[in-house]
Amino acid sequence: MLTNRDVNQFVLLFQFMKHGTNTPSTTTSNRGYAAIAEARTVLEHELETIRTGGTWKGERIITSKQGPRINVDGSHGDILNFCANNYLGLSSHPQVVEAGIEALKKYGAGLSSVRFICGTQDIHKDLEQKLAQFHEREDCILYASCFDANAGLFEVLLGPDDAVLSDELNHASIIDGIRLCRAKRFRYKHMDLNDLETQLKESQSSRLRLVVTDGVFSMDGDMAPLKGICDLAEKYGAMVFIDECHATGFMGPRGRGTDELLGVMDRVHIVNSTLGKALGGAAGGYTVGPKPLIDLLRQRSRPYLFSNSLPPPVVGCATRAVELLLASNEIAQSVGDKTMRFRNKMTEAGFTISGSDHPICPVMLGDARLASLMADDMLKLGVYVIGFSYPVVPKGKARIRVQISAAHTDQDIDRAVDAFIQTGRKHGVVS
Ligand code: PLP
């Protein structure tokens, strides 16, 4: 078999035959070649470190639609899926799929444009209006993802005279978004109101201040203490922002989110969320909040200004998902019962499940290799779950993150628990 080195030698020989030895282009291309060869060595070394550290993230290939039962390449029959953010089972809901097809037929595959040039259709405006209504906020702006919404917000809202106070475990996209802005940065300990108060006192001289938190933290399934955060923000004259990616559509009596559940919808000023999880699961993100903020984001937010408009089928699917939730909270309600069934049965069996009563149920294992081996064994038993390890979670806190969906039946949940018990016994996690 040819090694990299053999290939390199061949390329050098080819260059020599093509250009001779003394032409400037040969020297230049040889240098270019040497540069990429060196980069290759550095990259291979880095990849090997990840492999030997047991934190390699492989990708299993799904050969069916997203849903509670899927087909996975290399496994036989229907596999029970417990690792999608498909909290409401809307990713392959017939009405959602149909709406996507209708939008595709009527509005085409895509816009070939950013919003302000020729990328705004009536369906984009309609979805923005519905999302603002859903969250009971003044206005809404769509992005290609919530990662983009988080990347595009802080730089526009906050300048060097302002301050941002951020939970230390906020999502990577919030951390990146904050890095892009020039406000002074204060990081408070995870969900620690005392520490937040200390930082609010320290940042008192700033012009605007924004407290930034995930509503629900995706790795642990724990919920931000929003009431306490709003109390403090009001005491010290700060605004509050939440990322509701793991709450929109199913937390709270009407599925409006963590802010609804904790009774602070009118005290949280800005919400970012995704269309890529509970709301149909295709893609897309958005910001809802005060109208002048949304107007300014349309003028200045870089991921909005310099990236393509959301494709019509994606808009069609998300719009139908929001319409279903505006019409009834029935689907949203059913996730809670199923979550409690899983959490209770797993705890009885001796597993440690982290987080509050959220459909994200992290089965804590500690060791990265153990998490990955157990996930592989679960797949052999027909249950698809994934081990999470560093850098997605802190070192020594590896886990299998189970996510419950409204589309799971009680029998699905019991089957997953049985598979956990069998695999857990094999690896000495439970007796
Ligand atoms: N914020 C949080 C808390 C998330 O969990 C995610 C997705 O993993 C994002 C933002 C990014 O969302 P999107 O997939 O729409 O970019």
Side-chain angles (χ1 to χ4, degrees):
M1 206 177 79
L2 284 180
T3 63
N4 278 349
R5 175 169 293 208
D6 295 332
V7 175
N8 296 348
Q9 295 291 346
F10 175 76
V11 173
L12 277 176
L13 182 66
F14 176 75
Q15 297 287 357
F16 174 77
M17 283 159 55
K18 197 171 168 205
H19 301 294
T21 40
N22 297 327
T23 60
S25 71
T26 307
T27 317
T28 312
S29 62
N30 283 351
R31 281 203 204 113
Y33 167 72
I36 193 64
E38 194 179 344
R40 216 179 259 275
T41 310
V42 171
L43 296 174
E44 289 296 351
H45 174 74
E46 198 61 34
L47 290 169
E48 198 45 37
T49 314
I50 299 173
R51 277 189 205 101
T52 51
T55 59
W56 184 266
K57 283 166 255 327
E59 293 177 4
R60 293 195 182 118
I61 316 276
I62 297 173
T63 54
S64 61
K65 298 183 213 177
Q66 185 61 279
R69 273 170 219 81
I70 52 174
N71 293 323
V72 178
D73 201 18
S75 298
H76 299 294
D78 274 358
I79 302 290
L80 277 181
N81 181 10
F82 276 90
C83 53
N85 300 305
N86 185 17
Y87 296 111
L88 298 174
L90 295 182
S91 300
S92 45
H93 189 288
Q95 284 190 42
V96 172
V97 173
E98 196 49 41
I101 293 169
E102 286 305 310
L104 180 65
K105 282 188 192 151
K106 181 164 179 200
Y107 292 92
L111 271 303
S112 308
S113 171
V114 297
R115 286 285 297 271
F116 81 95
I117 298 182
C118 53
T120 302
Q121 293 169 315
D122 50 359
I123 48 174
H124 293 92
K125 298 309 286 179
D126 179 54
L127 178 56
E128 285 173 341
Q129 184 271 319
K130 287 198 165 82
L131 286 165
Q133 180 193 345
F134 183 80
H135 286 280
E136 298 177 6
R137 302 308 201 277
E138 286 173 24
D139 204 353
C140 171
I141 176 175
L142 289 173
Y143 287 87
S145 68
C146 186
F147 204 109
D148 278 355
N150 285 340
L153 172 74
F154 305 107
E155 187 189 15
V156 173
L157 177 61
L158 305 170
D161 295 336
D162 305 320
V164 58
L165 301 98
S166 175
D167 186 292
E168 63 180 348
L169 292 191
N170 277 338
H171 189 260
S173 54
I174 294 180
I175 295 170
D176 285 6
I178 288 175
R179 278 191 191 134
L180 292 171
C181 89
R182 293 197 294 147
K184 290 177 210 74
R185 297 172 204 164
F186 296 81
R187 208 161 68 129
Y188 63 90
K189 291 196 193 104
H190 182 46
M191 305 208 305
D192 184 331
L193 292 175
N194 290 329
D195 195 34
L196 173 60
E197 181 155 27
T198 309
Q199 316 270 348
L200 279 164
K201 283 180 188 156
E202 266 180 43
S203 58
Q204 200 104 35
S205 61
S206 302
R207 184 187 61 165
L208 299 177
R209 282 177 303 161
L210 182 66
V211 181
V212 173
T213 181
D214 282 3
V216 171
F217 292 84
S218 59
M219 287 303 129
D220 290 300
D222 49 355
M223 211 181 309
L226 287 187
K227 190 171 171 315
I229 288 176
C230 290
D231 289 346
L232 283 175
E234 281 160 17
K235 181 170 168 192
Y236 291 94
M239 298 175 287
V240 178
F241 161 96
I242 56 176
D243 175 325
E244 286 281 84
C245 282
H246 293 276
T248 299
F250 57 96
M251 298 291 281
R254 297 171 304 151
R256 299 306 198 255
T258 324
D259 55 350
E260 184 191 36
L261 180 71
L262 301 177
V264 290
M265 273 186 97
D266 53 345
R267 299 170 74 196
V268 169
H269 307 97
I270 307 162
V271 177
N272 276 6
S273 193
T274 185
L275 306 172
K277 301 193 195 301
L279 300 187
Y286 57 90
T287 300
V288 291
K291 188 164 179 350
L293 170 67
I294 304 301
D295 286 346
L296 192 62
L297 289 171
R298 287 192 206 283
Q299 302 304 314
R300 297 239 174 99
S301 184
R302 292 168 71 84
Y304 183 80
L305 287 172
F306 298 109
S307 188
N308 212 15
S309 193
L310 262 191
V314 169
V315 176
C317 291
T319 304
R320 184 55 51 86
V322 178
E323 283 166 356
L324 288 172
L325 297 176
L326 282 167
S328 156
N329 60 357
E330 207 177 301
I331 321 174
Q333 295 276 311
S334 79
V335 193
D337 295 344
K338 290 172 183 165
T339 299
M340 288 326 291
R341 186 179 186 93
F342 180 80
R343 283 181 171 271
N344 291 340
K345 289 197 165 207
M346 286 290 283
T347 309
E348 268 168 36
F351 288 99
T352 306
I353 312 296
S354 159
S356 14
D357 301 342
H358 190 274
I360 292 175
C361 306
V363 182
M364 302 306 288
L365 297 166
D367 181 62
R369 213 177 290 273
L370 172 64
S372 142
L373 284 176
M374 269 188 68
D376 288 345
D377 283 345
M378 293 283 292
L379 187 59
K380 287 178 199 147
L381 296 176
V383 180
Y384 184 8
V385 286
I386 287 286
F388 282 69
S389 54
Y390 182 81
V392 182
V393 295
K395 278 186 177 149
K397 294 209 168 165
R399 66 204 61 184
I400 289 176
R401 186 179 73 170
V402 169
Q403 286 167 287
I404 307 294
S405 165
H408 286 129
T409 62
D410 286 352
Q411 290 74 18
D412 294 341
I413 287 167
D414 295 351
R415 235 186 89 193
V417 173
D418 289 345
F420 263 110
I421 294 173
Q422 197 176 324
T423 318
R425 283 190 185 137
K426 175 177 165 189
H427 292 277
V429 178
V430 291
S431 46

Short mmCIF file of all heavy atoms in Angstrom, two decimals, residues 51-102:
data_model
loop_
_atom_site.label_atom_id
_atom_site.label_comp_id
_atom_site.label_asym_id
_atom_site.label_seq_id
_atom_site.Cartn_x
_atom_site.Cartn_y
_atom_site.Cartn_z
N ARG A 51 -7.86 9.95 19.19
CA ARG A 51 -8.17 8.51 19.19
C ARG A 51 -7.68 7.86 20.47
O ARG A 51 -8.42 7.15 21.16
CB ARG A 51 -7.52 7.82 17.99
CG ARG A 51 -8.33 7.94 16.74
CD ARG A 51 -7.76 7.07 15.62
NE ARG A 51 -8.16 7.63 14.34
CZ ARG A 51 -7.38 8.37 13.56
NH1 ARG A 51 -6.13 8.63 13.89
NH2 ARG A 51 -7.85 8.88 12.43
N THR A 52 -6.43 8.12 20.83
CA THR A 52 -5.87 7.43 22.00
C THR A 52 -6.51 7.96 23.29
O THR A 52 -6.57 7.24 24.29
CB THR A 52 -4.33 7.60 22.08
OG1 THR A 52 -4.04 8.99 21.95
CG2 THR A 52 -3.61 6.82 20.99
N GLY A 53 -7.01 9.18 23.26
CA GLY A 53 -7.68 9.74 24.44
C GLY A 53 -9.09 9.16 24.62
O GLY A 53 -9.75 9.45 25.62
N GLY A 54 -9.54 8.38 23.66
CA GLY A 54 -10.87 7.77 23.78
C GLY A 54 -12.00 8.76 23.54
O GLY A 54 -13.15 8.49 23.88
N THR A 55 -11.70 9.92 22.94
CA THR A 55 -12.76 10.92 22.75
C THR A 55 -13.14 11.08 21.27
O THR A 55 -13.73 12.09 20.88
CB THR A 55 -12.33 12.29 23.32
OG1 THR A 55 -11.13 12.70 22.67
CG2 THR A 55 -12.09 12.22 24.81
N TRP A 56 -12.79 10.10 20.47
CA TRP A 56 -13.12 10.17 19.04
C TRP A 56 -14.63 10.11 18.84
O TRP A 56 -15.30 9.27 19.42
CB TRP A 56 -12.46 8.99 18.31
CG TRP A 56 -12.67 9.06 16.83
CD1 TRP A 56 -13.65 8.46 16.12
CD2 TRP A 56 -11.88 9.81 15.91
NE1 TRP A 56 -13.52 8.77 14.79
CE2 TRP A 56 -12.45 9.60 14.63
CE3 TRP A 56 -10.76 10.64 16.03
CZ2 TRP A 56 -11.93 10.19 13.48
CZ3 TRP A 56 -10.25 11.22 14.88
CH2 TRP A 56 -10.82 10.99 13.63
N LYS A 57 -15.11 11.04 18.01
CA LYS A 57 -16.56 11.04 17.76
C LYS A 57 -16.84 10.50 16.36
O LYS A 57 -16.59 11.20 15.38
CB LYS A 57 -17.11 12.46 17.91
CG LYS A 57 -17.24 12.86 19.37
CD LYS A 57 -17.46 14.31 19.56
CE LYS A 57 -16.24 15.04 20.06
NZ LYS A 57 -15.33 14.36 20.94
N GLY A 58 -17.31 9.25 16.31
CA GLY A 58 -17.64 8.66 15.02
C GLY A 58 -19.03 9.11 14.60
O GLY A 58 -19.76 9.70 15.39
N GLU A 59 -19.38 8.86 13.37
CA GLU A 59 -20.72 9.21 12.90
C GLU A 59 -21.41 7.97 12.37
O GLU A 59 -20.91 7.34 11.44
CB GLU A 59 -20.63 10.28 11.80
CG GLU A 59 -20.14 11.61 12.33
CD GLU A 59 -19.98 12.68 11.24
OE1 GLU A 59 -20.33 12.41 10.08
OE2 GLU A 59 -19.50 13.76 11.59
N ARG A 60 -22.52 7.63 12.97
CA ARG A 60 -23.28 6.49 12.45
C ARG A 60 -24.19 6.99 11.33
O ARG A 60 -24.69 8.11 11.39
CB ARG A 60 -24.12 5.88 13.56
CG ARG A 60 -23.26 5.24 14.63
CD ARG A 60 -24.09 4.32 15.51
NE ARG A 60 -23.27 3.75 16.55
CZ ARG A 60 -23.45 3.94 17.86
NH1 ARG A 60 -24.44 4.69 18.29
NH2 ARG A 60 -22.66 3.36 18.72
N ILE A 61 -24.40 6.14 10.35
CA ILE A 61 -25.16 6.58 9.18
C ILE A 61 -26.60 6.09 9.30
O ILE A 61 -26.85 4.88 9.36
CB ILE A 61 -24.56 6.00 7.87
CG1 ILE A 61 -23.04 6.10 7.88
CG2 ILE A 61 -25.21 6.62 6.65
CD1 ILE A 61 -22.46 7.37 7.45
N ILE A 62 -27.53 7.04 9.31
CA ILE A 62 -28.96 6.70 9.37
C ILE A 62 -29.49 6.60 7.94
O ILE A 62 -29.16 7.46 7.11
CB ILE A 62 -29.73 7.79 10.16
CG1 ILE A 62 -29.21 7.82 11.60
CG2 ILE A 62 -31.22 7.52 10.14
CD1 ILE A 62 -29.76 8.94 12.42
N THR A 63 -30.26 5.56 7.67
CA THR A 63 -30.72 5.37 6.29
C THR A 63 -32.25 5.54 6.19
O THR A 63 -32.87 5.02 5.27
CB THR A 63 -30.31 3.96 5.79
OG1 THR A 63 -30.80 2.99 6.73
CG2 THR A 63 -28.81 3.83 5.68
N SER A 64 -32.83 6.21 7.17
CA SER A 64 -34.29 6.45 7.15
C SER A 64 -34.53 7.89 7.60
O SER A 64 -33.60 8.63 7.85
CB SER A 64 -34.98 5.49 8.12
OG SER A 64 -34.49 5.72 9.43
N LYS A 65 -35.84 8.25 7.74
CA LYS A 65 -36.17 9.57 8.30
C LYS A 65 -35.77 9.63 9.76
O LYS A 65 -35.67 8.59 10.41
CB LYS A 65 -37.68 9.80 8.29
CG LYS A 65 -38.35 9.81 7.00
CD LYS A 65 -39.83 10.14 7.27
CE LYS A 65 -40.70 9.43 6.28
NZ LYS A 65 -42.09 9.56 6.43
N GLN A 66 -35.68 10.85 10.29
CA GLN A 66 -35.49 11.01 11.73
C GLN A 66 -36.80 10.63 12.44
O GLN A 66 -37.88 10.95 11.94
CB GLN A 66 -35.13 12.48 12.03
CG GLN A 66 -34.80 12.76 13.46
CD GLN A 66 -33.58 11.96 13.92
OE1 GLN A 66 -33.70 10.79 14.27
NE2 GLN A 66 -32.43 12.58 13.91
N GLY A 67 -36.69 9.96 13.58
CA GLY A 67 -37.91 9.59 14.30
C GLY A 67 -37.57 8.69 15.46
O GLY A 67 -36.40 8.36 15.68
N PRO A 68 -38.58 8.23 16.22
CA PRO A 68 -38.31 7.35 17.36
C PRO A 68 -37.76 5.99 16.92
O PRO A 68 -37.06 5.34 17.66
CB PRO A 68 -39.66 7.19 18.04
CG PRO A 68 -40.67 7.59 17.04
CD PRO A 68 -40.01 8.56 16.09
N ARG A 69 -38.09 5.58 15.67
CA ARG A 69 -37.53 4.33 15.13
C ARG A 69 -36.82 4.66 13.84
O ARG A 69 -37.42 5.29 12.95
CB ARG A 69 -38.65 3.33 14.87
CG ARG A 69 -38.96 2.51 16.10
CD ARG A 69 -40.23 1.69 15.94
NE ARG A 69 -40.94 1.71 17.19
CZ ARG A 69 -41.73 2.69 17.60
NH1 ARG A 69 -41.94 3.73 16.83
NH2 ARG A 69 -42.30 2.66 18.79
N ILE A 70 -35.57 4.25 13.73
CA ILE A 70 -34.80 4.59 12.54
C ILE A 70 -34.07 3.35 12.05
O ILE A 70 -33.97 2.36 12.78
CB ILE A 70 -33.75 5.70 12.84
CG1 ILE A 70 -32.90 5.30 14.06
CG2 ILE A 70 -34.41 7.03 13.05
CD1 ILE A 70 -31.76 6.27 14.33
N ASN A 71 -33.56 3.42 10.83
CA ASN A 71 -32.65 2.38 10.34
C ASN A 71 -31.24 2.96 10.37
O ASN A 71 -31.03 4.11 9.97
CB ASN A 71 -33.00 1.98 8.91
CG ASN A 71 -34.35 1.28 8.86
OD1 ASN A 71 -34.70 0.53 9.77
ND2 ASN A 71 -35.11 1.57 7.82
N VAL A 72 -30.31 2.15 10.86
CA VAL A 72 -28.92 2.60 10.96
C VAL A 72 -28.07 1.65 10.14
O VAL A 72 -28.21 0.43 10.26
CB VAL A 72 -28.46 2.61 12.43
CG1 VAL A 72 -27.00 3.04 12.54
CG2 VAL A 72 -29.34 3.53 13.27
N ASP A 73 -27.22 2.22 9.30
CA ASP A 73 -26.34 1.43 8.45
C ASP A 73 -25.54 0.44 9.30
O ASP A 73 -24.95 0.82 10.30
CB ASP A 73 -25.38 2.41 7.75
CG ASP A 73 -24.80 1.80 6.49
OD1 ASP A 73 -25.38 0.82 6.00
OD2 ASP A 73 -23.77 2.30 6.01
N GLY A 74 -25.57 -0.83 8.93
CA GLY A 74 -24.79 -1.83 9.65
C GLY A 74 -25.56 -2.51 10.76
O GLY A 74 -25.07 -3.47 11.35
N SER A 75 -26.77 -2.02 11.10
CA SER A 75 -27.58 -2.69 12.13
C SER A 75 -28.86 -3.20 11.47
O SER A 75 -29.32 -2.64 10.47
CB SER A 75 -27.96 -1.72 13.25
OG SER A 75 -26.81 -1.26 13.86
N HIS A 76 -29.41 -4.24 12.07
CA HIS A 76 -30.57 -4.86 11.43
C HIS A 76 -31.87 -4.35 12.06
O HIS A 76 -31.97 -4.21 13.27
CB HIS A 76 -30.50 -6.37 11.56
CG HIS A 76 -29.29 -6.93 10.88
ND1 HIS A 76 -29.11 -6.86 9.52
CD2 HIS A 76 -28.17 -7.51 11.39
CE1 HIS A 76 -27.95 -7.40 9.21
NE2 HIS A 76 -27.36 -7.80 10.33
N GLY A 77 -32.85 -4.09 11.19
CA GLY A 77 -34.20 -3.78 11.67
C GLY A 77 -34.31 -2.36 12.22
O GLY A 77 -33.38 -1.56 12.14
N ASP A 78 -35.48 -2.08 12.76
CA ASP A 78 -35.75 -0.77 13.35
C ASP A 78 -34.94 -0.59 14.62
O ASP A 78 -34.91 -1.45 15.48
CB ASP A 78 -37.24 -0.69 13.74
CG ASP A 78 -38.09 -0.25 12.56
OD1 ASP A 78 -37.51 0.01 11.50
OD2 ASP A 78 -39.31 -0.17 12.74
N ILE A 79 -34.31 0.54 14.73
CA ILE A 79 -33.54 0.86 15.93
C ILE A 79 -34.31 1.94 16.69
O ILE A 79 -34.82 2.89 16.09
CB ILE A 79 -32.16 1.42 15.52
CG1 ILE A 79 -31.39 0.42 14.64
CG2 ILE A 79 -31.34 1.83 16.73
CD1 ILE A 79 -30.91 -0.81 15.33
N LEU A 80 -34.39 1.80 18.00
CA LEU A 80 -35.04 2.84 18.81
C LEU A 80 -34.06 3.99 18.99
O LEU A 80 -32.94 3.78 19.46
CB LEU A 80 -35.40 2.29 20.18
CG LEU A 80 -36.69 1.50 20.29
CD1 LEU A 80 -36.90 1.06 21.73
CD2 LEU A 80 -37.88 2.35 19.83
N ASN A 81 -34.51 5.18 18.64
CA ASN A 81 -33.61 6.33 18.65
C ASN A 81 -33.85 7.18 19.90
O ASN A 81 -34.94 7.73 20.07
CB ASN A 81 -33.86 7.15 17.38
CG ASN A 81 -32.96 8.36 17.29
OD1 ASN A 81 -32.03 8.49 18.07
ND2 ASN A 81 -33.24 9.22 16.34
N PHE A 82 -32.82 7.32 20.73
CA PHE A 82 -32.96 8.12 21.96
C PHE A 82 -31.92 9.23 22.02
O PHE A 82 -31.50 9.61 23.11
CB PHE A 82 -32.83 7.21 23.20
CG PHE A 82 -34.13 6.55 23.56
CD1 PHE A 82 -34.47 5.32 23.04
CD2 PHE A 82 -35.04 7.19 24.39
CE1 PHE A 82 -35.68 4.71 23.36
CE2 PHE A 82 -36.25 6.60 24.72
CZ PHE A 82 -36.57 5.36 24.20
N CYS A 83 -31.49 9.70 20.85
CA CYS A 83 -30.49 10.79 20.94
C CYS A 83 -30.77 11.93 19.99
O CYS A 83 -29.87 12.72 19.70
CB CYS A 83 -29.09 10.24 20.78
SG CYS A 83 -28.84 9.27 19.32
N ALA A 84 -32.01 12.08 19.54
CA ALA A 84 -32.31 13.24 18.70
C ALA A 84 -32.91 14.36 19.55
O ALA A 84 -33.51 14.09 20.60
CB ALA A 84 -33.29 12.85 17.60
N ASN A 85 -32.76 15.59 19.06
CA ASN A 85 -33.43 16.73 19.72
C ASN A 85 -34.86 16.88 19.19
O ASN A 85 -35.42 17.97 19.21
CB ASN A 85 -32.67 18.02 19.41
CG ASN A 85 -31.24 17.99 19.88
OD1 ASN A 85 -30.98 17.74 21.05
ND2 ASN A 85 -30.30 18.24 18.98
N ASN A 86 -35.41 15.76 18.76
CA ASN A 86 -36.73 15.74 18.12
C ASN A 86 -37.80 15.63 19.23
O ASN A 86 -38.59 14.70 19.25
CB ASN A 86 -36.74 14.52 17.19
CG ASN A 86 -37.99 14.38 16.35
OD1 ASN A 86 -38.75 15.33 16.19
ND2 ASN A 86 -38.21 13.18 15.83
N TYR A 87 -37.77 16.61 20.16
CA TYR A 87 -38.54 16.51 21.40
C TYR A 87 -40.04 16.28 21.18
O TYR A 87 -40.70 15.66 21.98
CB TYR A 87 -38.35 17.77 22.25
CG TYR A 87 -36.94 17.97 22.71
CD1 TYR A 87 -36.16 19.01 22.21
CD2 TYR A 87 -36.36 17.11 23.64
CE1 TYR A 87 -34.85 19.19 22.64
CE2 TYR A 87 -35.05 17.29 24.06
CZ TYR A 87 -34.30 18.34 23.56
OH TYR A 87 -33.02 18.50 23.97
N LEU A 88 -40.56 16.84 20.08
CA LEU A 88 -42.00 16.73 19.86
C LEU A 88 -42.34 15.74 18.75
O LEU A 88 -43.51 15.57 18.39
CB LEU A 88 -42.58 18.10 19.52
CG LEU A 88 -42.42 19.15 20.63
CD1 LEU A 88 -42.91 20.52 20.16
CD2 LEU A 88 -43.18 18.72 21.88
N GLY A 89 -41.33 15.09 18.21
CA GLY A 89 -41.57 14.13 17.13
C GLY A 89 -42.04 14.80 15.84
O GLY A 89 -42.65 14.16 14.99
N LEU A 90 -41.76 16.11 15.68
CA LEU A 90 -42.27 16.82 14.50
C LEU A 90 -41.36 16.69 13.28
O LEU A 90 -41.76 17.07 12.17
CB LEU A 90 -42.48 18.31 14.83
CG LEU A 90 -43.56 18.61 15.88
CD1 LEU A 90 -43.71 20.12 16.07
CD2 LEU A 90 -44.90 18.00 15.48
N SER A 91 -40.16 16.14 13.47
CA SER A 91 -39.20 16.08 12.33
C SER A 91 -39.75 15.32 11.14
O SER A 91 -39.40 15.61 10.00
CB SER A 91 -37.90 15.41 12.76
OG SER A 91 -37.32 16.12 13.80
N SER A 92 -40.60 14.31 11.44
CA SER A 92 -41.18 13.60 10.29
C SER A 92 -42.71 13.55 10.42
O SER A 92 -43.35 12.64 9.91
CB SER A 92 -40.58 12.20 10.18
OG SER A 92 -40.54 11.58 11.44
N HIS A 93 -43.27 14.54 11.11
CA HIS A 93 -44.73 14.65 11.23
C HIS A 93 -45.33 14.88 9.84
O HIS A 93 -44.85 15.76 9.10
CB HIS A 93 -45.05 15.83 12.17
CG HIS A 93 -46.50 15.93 12.54
ND1 HIS A 93 -47.48 16.33 11.66
CD2 HIS A 93 -47.13 15.70 13.72
CE1 HIS A 93 -48.65 16.34 12.27
NE2 HIS A 93 -48.47 15.94 13.52
N PRO A 94 -46.35 14.10 9.46
CA PRO A 94 -46.87 14.21 8.08
C PRO A 94 -47.24 15.63 7.67
O PRO A 94 -46.94 16.05 6.55
CB PRO A 94 -48.12 13.32 8.11
CG PRO A 94 -47.97 12.45 9.30
CD PRO A 94 -47.06 13.11 10.27
N GLN A 95 -47.85 16.40 8.58
CA GLN A 95 -48.26 17.77 8.19
C GLN A 95 -47.05 18.68 7.98
O GLN A 95 -47.06 19.57 7.14
CB GLN A 95 -49.14 18.37 9.29
CG GLN A 95 -50.53 17.82 9.29
CD GLN A 95 -51.43 18.63 10.22
OE1 GLN A 95 -51.36 19.84 10.25
NE2 GLN A 95 -52.26 17.95 10.97
N VAL A 96 -46.02 18.44 8.79
CA VAL A 96 -44.81 19.27 8.67
C VAL A 96 -44.11 18.95 7.34
O VAL A 96 -43.72 19.86 6.59
CB VAL A 96 -43.87 19.01 9.88
CG1 VAL A 96 -42.53 19.70 9.69
CG2 VAL A 96 -44.54 19.47 11.18
N VAL A 97 -44.01 17.66 7.03
CA VAL A 97 -43.36 17.25 5.77
C VAL A 97 -44.16 17.79 4.58
O VAL A 97 -43.59 18.36 3.64
CB VAL A 97 -43.25 15.71 5.71
CG1 VAL A 97 -42.74 15.25 4.36
CG2 VAL A 97 -42.36 15.19 6.84
N GLU A 98 -45.47 17.67 4.66
CA GLU A 98 -46.33 18.14 3.57
C GLU A 98 -46.15 19.65 3.34
O GLU A 98 -46.06 20.11 2.19
CB GLU A 98 -47.80 17.80 3.91
CG GLU A 98 -48.77 17.85 2.77
CD GLU A 98 -48.31 17.09 1.53
OE1 GLU A 98 -47.77 15.98 1.67
OE2 GLU A 98 -48.48 17.64 0.42
N ALA A 99 -46.07 20.40 4.43
CA ALA A 99 -45.90 21.85 4.30
C ALA A 99 -44.57 22.17 3.63
O ALA A 99 -44.48 23.13 2.84
CB ALA A 99 -45.98 22.50 5.69
N GLY A 100 -43.55 21.38 3.93
CA GLY A 100 -42.24 21.58 3.29
C GLY A 100 -42.33 21.34 1.79
O GLY A 100 -41.79 22.11 0.98
N ILE A 101 -43.06 20.28 1.42
CA ILE A 101 -43.20 19.95 -0.01
C ILE A 101 -43.96 21.06 -0.74
O ILE A 101 -43.59 21.52 -1.81
CB ILE A 101 -43.92 18.59 -0.19
CG1 ILE A 101 -43.03 17.47 0.36
CG2 ILE A 101 -44.27 18.32 -1.64
CD1 ILE A 101 -43.72 16.12 0.50
N GLU A 102 -45.03 21.53 -0.10
CA GLU A 102 -45.83 22.61 -0.71
C GLU A 102 -44.98 23.86 -0.92
O GLU A 102 -45.02 24.48 -1.98
CB GLU A 102 -47.02 22.97 0.21
CG GLU A 102 -48.14 21.94 0.20
CD GLU A 102 -48.64 21.66 -1.21
OE1 GLU A 102 -48.94 22.62 -1.93
OE2 GLU A 102 -48.68 20.47 -1.60
#
